[in-house]
Amino acid sequence: MRIDIISVAPDLLQSPFNHSIIKRAQEKGLAEIVVHDLRKYGLGNYKQIDDTQFGGGAGMVLMIEPISNCIKKLQEERNYDEVIYMTPDAKTLNQGTANTLSLKENILILTGHYKGVDQRIRDKYITKEISIGDYVLTGGELAAAVLVDAVVRLIPGVIGDEQSALTDSFQDNLLSPPVYTRPAEFEGMKVPDVLLSGNFPKIDDWRSDQAYKRTEEIRPDLLDNE
Ligand code: ADE
């Protein structure tokens, strides 16, 4: 999968993709992540990329021409399955969206800043808008990093143990059951007997039960969506 990201703060996106699983995915050739500096497409000597709002109001708006020129150039090089805009005023990212996007070949992600982008960019180029939660970040870069991480780890072959991604929280609309490792007892706190029993059907039942109980207690809304 190829992922292009357009940003006014490309430096913010260097570190998140240079660690562990996401780094290895790129080294294995399963994901290619390329960040484009919007400033390079800025207008005039000052490389202007933002301007005040029509109609007045605080905050700058990212201008249409630099973004349009950048998107057009990238679209000349390849077809994108989705052109995504990261913004708080959109549907919230969930595991289902991450699963769907992990099957795509080319994705282009636009990150906003300040008051956001000129609405005409959204109308003309954007095929999908994604928020990572009901709070406002200073820019879309961290949101894009979250999206890319959630998607890339699902690409077949990225996580060695295939089972591991499939048994994540949310894959079946349930939170994960608790997990334990050695020692079997720590300061009087014991690992549940069933996990030491070697009885795998029973362990599966226990895990399902725990996942359901946890979801009911912490995120009952997930059960309503079934
Ligand atoms: N940009 C600023 N806040 C955001 C959010 N919550 N989700 C996606 N992009 C954003």
Side-chain angles (χ1 to χ4, degrees):
M1 173 189 283
R2 160 105 180 193
I3 301 173
D4 291 275
I5 306 173
I6 303 172
S7 163
V8 302
D11 290 351
L12 259 180
L13 288 165
Q14 290 314 316
S15 171
F17 306 136
N18 272 321
H19 293 280
S20 79
I21 290 175
I22 307 303
K23 183 179 184 190
R24 253 180 288 135
Q26 293 171 88
E27 286 167 355
K28 282 195 213 165
L30 296 169
E32 188 184 4
I33 304 168
V34 183
V35 182
H36 305 271
D37 185 355
L38 184 64
R39 184 69 64 175
K40 288 198 181 134
Y41 297 83
L43 304 183
N45 288 343
Y46 292 103
K47 297 283 171 202
Q48 186 185 0
I49 52 170
D50 58 359
D51 208 339
T52 52
Q53 294 188 53
F54 278 128
M60 303 294 272
V61 175
L62 287 174
M63 298 164 75
I64 196 164
E65 296 101 319
I67 298 175
S68 174
N69 290 340
C70 181
I71 292 180
K72 275 185 190 153
K73 178 170 175 283
L74 294 172
Q75 282 181 330
E76 273 166 20
E77 290 162 18
R78 60 185 49 77
N79 284 324
Y80 289 95
D81 300 299
E82 295 283 7
V83 181
I84 299 169
Y85 176 48
M86 303 308 301
T87 176
D89 52 350
K91 281 206 178 139
T92 315
L93 176 65
N94 61 23
Q95 195 64 36
T97 305
N99 287 342
T100 307
L101 291 175
S102 74
L103 303 172
K104 307 287 183 196
E105 218 167 295
N106 299 314
I107 292 177
L108 176 55
I109 302 174
L110 172 65
T111 61
H113 250 260
Y114 320 116
K115 272 282 162 201
V117 300
D118 188 303
Q119 179 60 36
R120 290 166 291 181
I121 284 289
R122 297 168 75 162
D123 297 341
K124 186 170 161 84
Y125 294 106
I126 301 301
T127 61
K128 198 174 193 62
E129 301 192 330
I130 297 178
S131 164
I132 62 158
D134 293 340
Y135 42 82
V136 179
L137 303 167
T138 51
E141 285 75 13
L142 297 179
V146 167
L147 174 66
V148 170
D149 190 294
V151 169
V152 168
R153 63 189 292 285
L154 295 170
I155 298 171
V158 168
I159 293 186
D161 175 5
E162 291 287 336
Q163 205 47 27
S164 163
L166 291 176
T167 57
D168 286 338
S169 274
F170 305 114
Q171 279 298 6
D172 44 13
N173 254 359
L174 293 175
L175 303 185
S176 288
V179 292
Y180 299 86
T181 185
R182 276 182 275 272
E185 184 174 341
F186 175 73
E187 295 182 355
M189 298 161 78
K190 288 187 176 160
V191 170
D193 286 340
V194 60
L195 295 178
L196 309 176
S197 69
N199 182 337
F200 293 104
K202 216 167 145 193
I203 291 173
D204 280 348
D205 284 350
W206 180 86
R207 285 184 171 150
S208 300
D209 199 42
Q210 290 290 319
Y212 188 84
K213 278 189 185 141
R214 238 187 201 187
T215 311
E216 202 172 37
E217 191 184 319
I218 304 169
R219 291 290 309 276
D221 55 303
L222 290 175
L223 299 173
D224 296 342
N225 292 341
E226 274 180 10

